[in-house]
Amino acid sequence: MARVYNFSAGPAVLPEEVLSRAGSEILDYQGSGMSVMEMSHRSKVFQGIIDKAEADIRTLMGIPENYKVLFLQGGDSLLFATTFINLAPHRKADFVITGNWAKKAYQEAQILGDPNVVASSADKNFTYIPDCSDLPIREDTDYLYICQNNTIYGTQYHTLPNTKGHTLVADQSSMFLSEPVDVTKFGCIHAGVQKNVGPAGVQIVIVREDLIPDDLPGVPTMLRFKTQADKGSLYNTPNCWGIYMCGLVFQWLLENGGLAAMHEKNTEKANLLYDYLDASELFHPTVTDPESRSLMNVPFVTGDKDLDAEFVAEAAKAGLVNLKGHRTVGGMRASIYNAMPKAGVEALVNFMDGFERSHKKA
């Protein structure tokens, strides 16, 4: 069976070169006589895998030495809590709510301390990024939290908030490694890899060392960043296969020009789809402000739920799969991550054009 164009928001498409290499090594990783899925995380072979993965992501992102790179488990749903536990010594954090994930992070902080919402785009169903140039950030807050790309609603910060000297913490999951980033502007970046980097099950945390507390009385061992930071993410058995796959994707990115080249390709793909949507009489983007549009996740609707469902079904028959939108937005959503080739977006636009012509009212 031929491979489809997979527009899933996550788990999502991976580079075919990476999948092919992983397939070739699945029974015998580089002469070890075993699969990465079988080897001990304490072995020299796996130590080499995780060391190279960390070195390559540091090269890709230009991560300074005073930042730790952690390969964790538990997903964003756990990081929403552990970030607050570790980075909010005064139990205060301010949040910009631009969708479900920032809202969930805020709700976890409500359980643990005193969070505060300084801006929100809920008034228009999260279809824009609020003005963050002069936020009412509390002077004694520990950090400002954002979800930098909103997978469900298709919005993205293209200008970072003015933090007024406070630490910036960002969930970058669905835009991670899609464009260059100045890590020094953040105290902490966390990202689930299942959207743009690898298979589900690994959470990458990049955190400035001085923010990692030496002691957290009353906090369980596995909820402390220091536990894994001191042990090179090997305090306990990590997701060995997931880290290996992330490492292959890091190598693929480096071999293909790094994040600057990836950003150029992603911009080209996104413009192709947005240009069609802006000119279409049938399909309409839910994010109309170009300054708020995500390069990774593009929601769109026809305004007719039955027609939306027909489009999704017919697209799947044509090999364009996982286009159904999230229930809070409806319609369709095309996630066009790094591994989605331009040909996939062209195929989608061509199908949309044909569908529109066949449904044009006389």
Side-chain angles (χ1 to χ4, degrees), residues 296-308:
M296 297 286 98
N297 311 100
V298 184
F300 55 97
V301 298
T302 65
D304 182 324
K305 291 182 180 180
D306 292 336
L307 195 57
D308 289 347

Side-chain angles (χ1 to χ4, degrees), residues 282-283 307 310-311 351-359:
L282 178 63
F283 299 102
L307 195 57
E310 180 185 345
F311 173 83
F351 181 82
M352 293 170 71
D353 183 57
F355 187 89
E356 179 169 0
R357 283 188 282 107
S358 70
H359 288 74

Side-chain angles (χ1 to χ4, degrees), residues 287-303:
V287 179
T288 56
D289 176 16
E291 296 303 312
S292 293
R293 285 175 169 174
S294 168
L295 298 183
M296 297 286 98
N297 311 100
V298 184
F300 55 97
V301 298
T302 65

Side-chain angles (χ1 to χ4, degrees), residues 220-235:
T221 302
M222 291 301 291
L223 298 184
R224 305 180 189 190
F225 284 164
K226 184 175 174 60
T227 298
Q228 296 289 13
D230 287 351
K231 297 294 183 180
S233 302
L234 293 171
Y235 174 83

Side-chain angles (χ1 to χ4, degrees), residues 7 39 41 65 83 92 107 132 138 145 155 165 185 198 202 208 211 220 271-272 276 298 324 349:
F7 294 93
M39 65 180 56
H41 64 295
E65 291 185 2
T83 297
K92 290 188 175 184
Q107 289 170 337
C132 295
R138 295 175 293 182
Y145 187 96
T155 60
K185 292 184 177 180
V202 177
R208 208 172 68 224
L211 296 176
N271 286 343
L272 182 64
Y276 172 77
V298 184
K324 184 178 180 180
V349 168

Side-chain angles (χ1 to χ4, degrees), residues 7 149-155 269-271 273-274 277 284-287 293-301 323 325 329 331-336 345 348 352:
F7 294 93
N149 186 87
N150 297 284
T151 320
I152 293 173
Y153 299 96
T155 60
K269 291 184 297 183
N271 286 343
L273 182 50
Y274 281 121
L277 288 170
H284 309 289
T286 59
V287 179
R293 285 175 169 174
S294 168
L295 298 183
M296 297 286 98
N297 311 100
V298 184
F300 55 97
V301 298
L323 281 165
V329 178
M332 288 69 66
R333 172 179 55 182
S335 294
I336 49 177
V345 180
L348 174 60
M352 293 170 71

Side-chain angles (χ1 to χ4, degrees), residues 17-284:
E17 299 93 325
V18 167
L19 294 173
S20 294
R21 179 172 170 184
S24 71
E25 295 180 336
I26 196 165
L27 291 177
D28 179 9
Y29 174 74
Q30 298 188 4
S32 67
M34 68 183 80
S35 171
V36 174
M37 289 186 281
E38 300 172 300
M39 65 180 56
S40 170
H41 64 295
R42 304 296 183 196
S43 67
K44 289 183 179 179
V45 178
F46 185 74
Q47 187 67 58
I49 290 172
I50 195 171
D51 286 348
K52 180 166 177 52
E54 179 176 340
D56 284 348
I57 193 174
R58 284 186 178 275
T59 298
L60 276 169
M61 297 182 69
I63 300 173
E65 291 185 2
N66 65 321
Y67 283 74
K68 289 288 189 180
V69 177
L70 310 178
F71 297 97
L72 306 180
Q73 299 177 66
D76 284 323
S77 295
L78 180 60
L79 258 295
F80 296 149
T82 54
T83 297
F84 190 86
I85 289 169
N86 284 269
L87 304 185
H90 304 104
R91 293 295 177 261
K92 290 188 175 184
D94 287 356
F95 291 76
V96 181
I97 307 298
T98 50
N100 282 20
W101 302 115
K103 184 178 180 181
K104 285 179 181 291
Y106 170 73
Q107 289 170 337
E108 290 297 294
Q110 283 184 304
I111 297 170
L112 297 162
D114 178 24
N116 180 49
V117 176
V118 293
S120 172
S121 54
D123 61 320
K124 295 183 179 179
N125 198 33
F126 303 118
T127 54
Y128 71 99
I129 297 295
D131 179 3
C132 295
S133 60
D134 188 22
L135 297 170
I137 300 171
R138 295 175 293 182
E139 289 187 9
D140 59 347
T141 201
D142 290 304
Y143 60 81
L144 176 69
Y145 187 96
I146 63 171
C147 180
Q148 200 167 343
N149 186 87
N150 297 284
T151 320
I152 293 173
Y153 299 96
T155 60
Q156 179 179 350
Y157 290 79
H158 296 289
T159 300
L160 292 177
N162 175 7
T163 66
K164 300 181 178 179
H166 292 85
T167 297
L168 180 62
V169 176
D171 172 2
Q172 288 190 358
S173 293
S174 52
M175 61 164 287
F176 195 55
L177 301 185
S178 66
E179 60 183 60
V181 58
D182 183 352
V183 176
T184 64
K185 292 184 177 180
F186 302 84
C188 179
I189 294 168
H190 68 86
V193 306
Q194 73 277 6
K195 298 181 183 297
N196 212 18
V197 185
V202 177
Q203 188 79 9
I204 295 176
V205 175
I206 301 164
V207 57
R208 208 172 68 224
E209 285 188 83
D210 64 288
L211 296 176
I212 301 174
D214 287 327
D215 189 26
L216 285 171
V219 174
T221 302
M222 291 301 291
L223 298 184
R224 305 180 189 190
F225 284 164
K226 184 175 174 60
T227 298
Q228 296 289 13
D230 287 351
K231 297 294 183 180
S233 302
L234 293 171
Y235 174 83
N236 68 324
T237 308
N239 184 337
C240 297
W241 176 260
I243 294 169
Y244 158 73
M245 288 295 293
C246 289
L248 294 186
V249 172
F250 300 157
Q251 292 175 49
W252 177 79
L253 287 167
L254 289 168
E255 291 164 0
N256 284 275
L259 302 190
M262 201 54 55
H263 183 235
E264 183 177 341
K265 293 175 183 178
N266 288 331
T267 300
E268 183 181 14
K269 291 184 297 183
N271 286 343
L272 182 64
L273 182 50
Y274 281 121
D275 286 349
Y276 172 77
L277 288 170
D278 287 339
S280 174
E281 295 180 5
L282 178 63
F283 299 102
H284 309 289

